[in-house]
Amino acid sequence: MSSCDKKQTIKASTQTDSLSVSSSIRDTLPKKFIGTYQGSISCDDCEFVVLTLDQSNTYKLKIQLFTDEDSKGSIIYEQGNFNWDRKNSTIALDKFGFKFKAFEKKLYYLDNTGQYDTEEYLIKQ
């Protein structure tokens, strides 16, 4: 499978990124962003993503991976905590390094430089 320079490779692992934010100082996600989102994002092997955010700054993530024609699709299930940055309206998941810009009923996937493509987002269901 070829990979695009801006794409991020997904690996099923237990390694987590550090979001050392105390729960007492963590910003709470506004109610309008709580819920389930789905769509496609630019990461190697990602075919479809479902992300559920809740008010206690936890999430559930389901990633359907692309596979070759001879094998069944693989699915990664993950859950963890996220950090809501109220000033920048961004959400950072504690696993996989995923970051999103929240706007209306969409979560725009942020690349490694913090930029996003207006065509690449998860939409609230």
Side-chain angles (χ1 to χ4, degrees):
M1 175 185 308
S2 64
S3 82
C4 177
D5 288 334
K6 81 172 199 168
K7 292 186 177 185
Q8 179 179 10
T9 300
I10 295 298
K11 295 179 182 167
S13 73
T14 57
Q15 182 179 7
T16 61
D17 293 326
S18 172
L19 288 178
S20 53
V21 177
S22 166
S23 59
S24 63
I25 62 168
R26 184 183 302 171
D27 286 335
T28 302
L29 185 68
K31 288 183 182 181
K32 67 181 179 179
F33 295 122
I34 294 169
T36 300
Y37 297 80
Q38 62 184 17
S40 297
I41 60 175
S42 288
C43 65
D44 287 346
D45 305 329
C46 289
E47 182 175 5
F48 196 74
V49 175
V50 178
L51 175 63
T52 301
L53 304 172
D54 73 25
Q55 196 166 10
S56 62
N57 286 31
T58 61
Y59 68 87
K60 291 182 182 174
L61 179 67
K62 175 183 172 183
I63 303 171
Q64 173 74 45
L65 301 174
F66 283 115
T67 59
D68 60 35
E69 296 174 12
D70 297 331
S71 64
K72 293 183 178 182
S74 296
I75 298 175
I76 296 173
Y77 293 95
E78 192 61 72
Q79 57 188 8
N81 297 302
F82 66 84
N83 184 24
W84 166 248
D85 179 345
R86 180 180 45 190
K87 180 180 176 187
N88 296 307
S89 296
T90 58
I91 295 167
L93 305 186
D94 65 349
K95 298 177 183 158
F96 300 117
F98 287 167
K99 293 182 182 177
F100 298 93
K101 173 83 171 172
F103 183 72
E104 295 182 2
K105 294 186 177 204
K106 296 178 182 175
L107 298 179
Y108 291 94
Y109 177 67
L110 298 174
D111 64 19
N112 294 335
T113 66
Q115 301 299 310
Y116 66 93
D117 181 338
T118 58
E119 299 296 316
E120 188 174 2
Y121 56 85
L122 303 179
I123 191 162
K124 190 171 184 183
Q125 299 305 298

